[in-house]
Amino acid sequence: MSVSAPEIPAKARTGFKWDLKTVGPLAALALLVLLGITLNENFLTYNNITNVLARSSFIGIIAIGATFVITSGGLDLSVGSMAAVIAGVMIMVMNWLIPTFGIGWGVILAGMAAGILLGGVAGVGNGLMITRGRIEAFIVTLGTMGIFRSLVTFLADGGTLSLNFQVADVYRPVYYNGFLGIPYPILVFALVAIIGELVMRRTAFGRHCAAIGSNEQVARYSSINVDNVRLITYILQGILVAVAVLLYVPRLGSASSTTGVLWELEAIAAVIIGGTTLKGGYGRVWGTVVGVIILGLIGNILNLQSFISPYLNGAFQGVIIILAVLLQRPKRPS
């Protein structure tokens, strides 16, 4: 009879342990702010900061939708093209309705309703093909990305769809004006972010997204309706793309085949930089907001300085994405 060695109790863990996935995005944001202040005295001015946040709000609103999609184990590559076709249809609807309703907010509200409806329908289409059609999300959204981009090119006849100048003048304050000195796009972005964080953290839907992304089979055994939850994430993504477009159209008053190019990559990058796991199972909306601001500040610093070309913005974003994914790698078992 062998005698086993007495078990040695493991030492209790003491002290505070930094979580790089949580602290990393905040530390990167703080370093960028310090770098911007050091390099340019105008970096921290009110006009510069509000300009960065207002321009980042489109990607930010879309990225919050992408946070739910990615947390549940999905992916949507079509959001940039979807934004372009929604903007094009909104402009066409508003121009068509001018003879009936005249110049005013009636036409604009009808265009907004058409945009939200189209965004929801696009999300339903993506979601049904993925959940009911059992097609990989990458394949479905890659296909619809091409479809949406071709549609807006067809609608614009290869050129640009322009909003009636008088309607554009009425619509313009939605982007350029604000409340208490804060531009409306920033306020909408903040409101969407707060609601998104509450939904992710405080509701069954948010917990179901994480459970499905973590282990789909276990989620099914736990009586979670996996298909419906995933379908809702794509509908939510489509509607939030439309919300972003409602704020984008008054900025330029036009849409073309180049509208929204690479928005999908920027949205996914912001989500990953913010700490949401690319393979699903864990997501945080506040991290996505930090990721969006980081991407916006990188572009802003490059534009303010002349020693590095702003054309290298994409390269810097690529490096940050790789580093963010590197930090998400699971540690090797000892």
Side-chain angles (χ1 to χ4, degrees), residues 84-325:
V85 77
I86 290 174
V89 170
M90 275 184 61
I91 289 171
M92 292 177 70
V93 168
M94 286 188 278
N95 288 341
W96 285 338
L97 292 178
I98 289 173
T100 304
F101 295 100
I103 307 294
W105 276 100
V107 167
I108 295 171
L109 291 176
M112 288 180 169
I116 294 290
L117 179 63
L118 183 57
V121 170
V124 169
N126 280 340
L128 286 178
M129 284 188 282
I130 292 166
T131 58
R132 269 60 174 186
R134 305 298 177 195
I135 306 173
E136 289 292 330
F138 177 84
I139 301 299
V140 170
T141 56
L142 187 65
T144 52
M145 179 175 70
I147 292 170
F148 293 147
R149 188 64 65 188
S150 295
L151 276 176
V152 71
T153 306
F154 170 75
L155 293 174
D157 198 19
T160 301
L161 290 164
S162 298
L163 184 61
N164 177 280
F165 286 119
Q166 292 175 293
V167 175
D169 285 339
V170 177
Y171 199 177
R172 198 178 305 278
V174 171
Y175 178 80
Y176 290 99
N177 287 9
F179 180 71
L180 297 176
I182 304 173
Y184 289 126
I186 299 176
L187 294 174
V188 175
F189 178 29
L191 180 62
V192 172
I194 292 170
I195 295 173
E197 180 68 19
L198 290 175
V199 171
M200 182 68 81
R201 297 289 170 206
R202 303 291 183 187
T203 67
F205 174 72
R207 292 191 291 272
H208 289 174
C209 288
I212 293 168
S214 179
N215 192 316
E216 182 178 333
Q217 291 304 319
V218 171
R220 289 186 188 278
Y221 294 145
S222 303
S223 302
I224 295 175
N225 194 323
V226 173
D227 289 344
N228 281 351
V229 171
R230 277 202 170 134
L231 176 61
I232 292 172
T233 62
Y234 284 98
I235 296 172
L236 180 64
Q237 174 73 93
I239 291 174
L240 288 180
V241 170
V243 171
V245 172
L246 300 186
L247 301 169
Y248 175 82
V249 169
R251 180 179 172 226
L252 298 178
S254 64
S256 68
S257 59
T258 60
T259 299
V261 170
L262 296 181
W263 280 15
E264 59 278 351
L265 293 183
E266 290 189 44
I268 293 171
V271 173
I272 303 307
I273 291 170
T276 295
T277 308
L278 183 58
K279 62 181 181 182
Y282 179 76
R284 54 188 181 199
V285 173
W286 72 264
T288 298
V289 174
V290 174
V292 169
I293 297 173
I294 287 175
L295 292 178
L297 289 181
I298 290 173
N300 181 246
I301 291 172
L302 293 178
N303 285 326
L304 289 175
Q305 296 305 123
S306 57
F307 64 91
I308 298 177
S309 171
Y311 296 125
L312 290 173
N313 189 0
F316 278 91
Q317 290 182 2
V319 171
I320 291 176
I321 294 168
I322 293 171
L323 289 175
V325 174

Side-chain angles (χ1 to χ4, degrees), residues 28-57:
L29 179 60
L31 287 174
L32 274 176
V33 172
L34 288 175
L35 181 65
I37 294 171
T38 304
L39 293 177
N40 195 296
E41 61 182 8
N42 295 321
F43 174 78
L44 214 53
T45 59
Y46 172 81
N47 287 336
N48 186 56
I49 295 300
T50 53
N51 184 47
V52 170
L53 292 177
R55 292 169 68 92
S56 300
S57 59

Side-chain angles (χ1 to χ4, degrees), residues 321-332:
I321 294 168
I322 293 171
L323 289 175
V325 174
L326 201 62
L327 290 174
Q328 291 183 0
R329 288 188 314 167
K331 294 180 179 178
R332 292 181 179 178

